[in-house]
Amino acid sequence: MKALTIRIIKLMMGLFLFAVGIVMTINANVGLSPWDVFHQGLSKMLNITLGQAGIAVGFIIILINFFFKEKIGWGTVGNMLFIGLYIDFLMFNHLVPTFESVIPSTIMMFLGLFVVGCASYCYISSGFGSGPRDGLMVVLTKRTNKSVRFVRNTIEISVAVAGWLLGGFVGVGTVVMAVTTGYFVQFAFKLFKFDVKAVEHRYIDDDIRFLYQKFRKEDEGLEEN
């Protein structure tokens, strides 16, 4: 129980830090990350918050992943829900400063990417499954037989263009983040000496199966008595 509690705390801390990192890149005002360009464009079109747009997109992606039988973890659902809520909380309360000058903005963007990398380590290492967008990348990689790099780049270019057409903010930072986010995540993994291949994720269907078997054994025990 103690180990499970620690993992849950690690997951929630990672999701909060992820939101902090995203808001830092947004408030840097040098361009949004590809997915956030799409979220912002969608938020303008539907007149909803950026966080709500992220939640809606995450929910749809989870449905797509489920349809293609990609495993869904509690961390996947948490990623969809809490990051959007945390983003709105941080932005509405102005808890992250906004910069306009080039040098402070650039520093803020890279610091945000570093925080995103550390956050990725926290929530992935908790072992509750990957985020919805990572799951979509896996699904499309399996279905197309293309490389992970090709699939990821295609997804990010597509959502950035779609978001831009909807009114999302594309800037130099958009290109920088599209190219460098993976390096920051990899750097964080090395910093914490984390081997992502060694993580054994627990998925929702594992818990359902566990509970089913547990209740079945209890029923059988009652019948024997």
Side-chain angles (χ1 to χ4, degrees):
M1 193 64 189
K2 182 179 178 181
L4 178 61
T5 301
I6 292 173
R7 286 173 59 198
I8 292 173
I9 291 173
K10 198 173 186 181
L11 169 66
M12 297 307 295
M13 182 174 69
L15 297 179
F16 179 73
L17 284 176
F18 204 97
V20 171
I22 288 175
V23 175
M24 289 175 72
T25 62
I26 292 171
N27 288 3
N29 280 320
V30 290
L32 303 178
S33 68
W35 276 107
D36 288 324
V37 173
F38 183 60
H39 296 155
Q40 188 185 63
L42 196 64
S43 71
K44 289 183 176 181
M45 183 182 74
L46 300 178
N47 195 28
I48 57 178
T49 67
L50 189 68
Q52 290 169 345
I55 292 171
V57 171
F59 178 72
I60 293 171
I61 293 174
I62 286 179
L63 292 180
I64 294 172
N65 293 345
F66 180 78
F67 177 78
F68 286 108
K69 298 181 179 179
E70 185 65 25
K71 285 184 174 291
I72 309 297
W74 296 110
T76 310
V77 177
N79 183 297
M80 171 205 75
L81 180 62
F82 287 106
I83 290 178
L85 293 175
Y86 290 147
I87 286 174
D88 284 346
F89 172 76
L90 291 166
M91 295 188 75
F92 285 154
N93 291 284
H94 306 288
L95 297 178
V96 178
T98 301
F99 292 102
E100 300 293 342
S101 301
V102 175
I103 295 177
S105 293
T106 303
I107 293 173
M108 171 75 103
M109 179 189 67
F110 284 119
L111 283 176
L113 290 175
F114 175 70
V115 172
V116 165
C118 293
S120 299
Y121 154 73
C122 287
Y123 90 78
I124 293 175
S125 65
S126 67
F128 287 108
S130 61
R133 292 155 188 79
D134 292 329
L136 178 64
M137 181 181 67
V138 172
V139 165
L140 293 179
T141 300
K142 289 178 180 177
R143 292 283 166 173
T144 62
N145 290 320
K146 301 293 184 180
S147 68
V148 171
R149 179 180 297 179
F150 175 82
V151 171
R152 176 176 173 173
N153 288 342
T154 301
I155 291 173
E156 296 202 344
I157 291 171
S158 299
V159 296
V161 171
W164 176 70
L165 292 173
L166 292 173
F169 175 35
V170 174
V172 175
T174 305
V175 178
V176 173
M177 285 184 267
V179 173
T180 63
T181 299
Y183 292 101
F184 276 92
V185 173
Q186 187 177 7
F187 174 72
F189 286 0
K190 288 184 177 180
L191 184 65
F192 292 104
K193 298 179 181 179
F194 172 58
D195 181 6
V196 69
K197 296 179 181 177
V199 180
E200 293 184 7
H201 288 286
R202 188 171 185 87
Y203 298 100
I204 294 176
D205 61 329
D206 294 327
D207 289 330
I208 293 174
R209 196 178 302 111
F210 170 77
L211 291 172
Y212 172 76
Q213 291 174 350
K214 182 179 180 180
F215 288 128
R216 185 177 179 182
K217 287 180 180 179
E218 289 179 357
D219 289 341
E220 291 175 351
L222 291 173
E223 290 175 0
E224 289 177 359
N225 292 331

